[in-house]
Amino acid sequence: IAGITQAPTSQILAAGRRMTLRCTQDMRHNAMYWYRQDLGLGLRLIHYSNTAGTTGKGEVPDGYSVSRANTDDFPLTLASAVPSQTSVYFCASSDSGTGNYGYTFGSGTRLTVV
Amino acid sequence: AQRVTQPEKLLSVFKGAPVELKCNYSYSGSPELFWYVQYSRQRLQLLLRHISRESIKGFTADLNKGETSFHLKKPFAQEEDSAMYYCALSGVWGAQKLVFGQGTRLTINP
């Protein structure tokens, strides 16, 4: 693993089903984030975690949950998927210790809810 | 409210022509501003940050606090510059939470 790994790459999901998007980083970054990317809306923050054991809500948290049991993993769960959750989901991380605010992004998960 | 606006969803210019991607922001504090780029089939990557005042791949961006703008410029466009560009602002919801603009898809015509 180098950087951030997201899985799956893409998924077609029936409405009402539960789905967990996985995100793993190997950079020992403290902070991690989930964004969704929608045409014309840019990237919107769903949830974030400043450090292991803590999480917070972003701009569009409804219908999503996250957990941060350790530094490396930050899974995003859709408890009961709806078509409006069709999007491309990006996980990102940043090192809060150096003052460098650049994010490292994963390659994304393309989710289609039908 | 903190906000980043990229007024152009699509921008098309010819190779060798100057490029300017517009970005305006709204933020009550002292902003940290960034440009991210997403090439076709690749992940988002940081292009440049205003605090480093650097030039990457010929692109520059100057923070204008009076006009609350952070436009991205390049004097001579190249075909490999075709990509999706996002302007982003940090400082929201505590340190480091980036707020992104809507994005501008730049196409460089040969």
Side-chain angles (χ1 to χ4, degrees), chain A residues 35 37 48 50 101 103 105, chain B residues 36 38 86 96-98:
Chain A
Y35 285 86
Q37 182 186 40
Y48 65 91
N50 287 331
Y101 295 109
Y103 283 16
F105 280 87
Chain B
Y36 280 79
Q38 186 179 28
Y86 290 97
Q96 298 188 281
K97 312 299 183 295
L98 283 181

Side-chain angles (χ1 to χ4, degrees), chain B residues 14-67:
Chain B
F14 286 102
K15 178 182 174 181
V19 174
E20 182 178 69
L21 287 80
K22 291 184 169 52
C23 172
N24 290 91
Y25 67 89
S26 172
Y27 184 60
S28 58
S30 182
E32 299 287 351
L33 284 151
F34 309 81
W35 277 98
Y36 280 79
V37 61
Q38 186 179 28
Y39 299 103
S40 180
R41 302 182 186 280
Q42 295 186 28
R43 64 187 69 194
L44 278 88
Q45 54 187 284
L46 179 64
L47 182 61
L48 55 80
R49 302 169 289 168
H50 94 271
I51 56 173
S52 60
R53 304 185 67 81
E54 57 196 345
S55 173
I56 303 295
K57 299 185 178 182
F59 284 99
T60 59
D62 291 320
L63 177 60
N64 186 323
K65 292 188 177 182
E67 296 182 358

Side-chain angles (χ1 to χ4, degrees), chain A residues 8-93:
Chain A
T9 303
S10 66
Q11 181 75 44
I12 298 175
L13 185 68
R17 298 294 297 269
R18 180 184 179 89
M19 172 80 185
T20 295
L21 281 60
R22 299 185 298 279
C23 175
T24 300
Q25 54 112 349
D26 64 353
M27 299 169 287
R28 308 303 294 173
H29 282 173
N30 288 324
M32 297 187 75
Y33 317 85
W34 275 105
Y35 285 86
R36 59 177 290 173
Q37 182 186 40
D38 301 289
L39 192 63
L41 298 176
L43 282 81
R44 293 178 292 168
L45 183 65
I46 304 171
H47 285 286
Y48 65 91
S49 170
N50 287 331
T51 188
T54 68
T55 63
K57 294 181 179 180
E59 181 184 358
V60 288
D62 293 343
Y64 306 95
S65 63
V66 292
S67 62
R68 187 89 184 277
N70 56 62
T71 298
D72 298 343
D73 301 299
F74 191 45
L76 176 74
T77 298
L78 288 68
S80 179
V82 295
S84 62
Q85 292 177 310
T86 294
S87 185
V88 180
Y89 292 86
F90 286 99
C91 180
S93 71

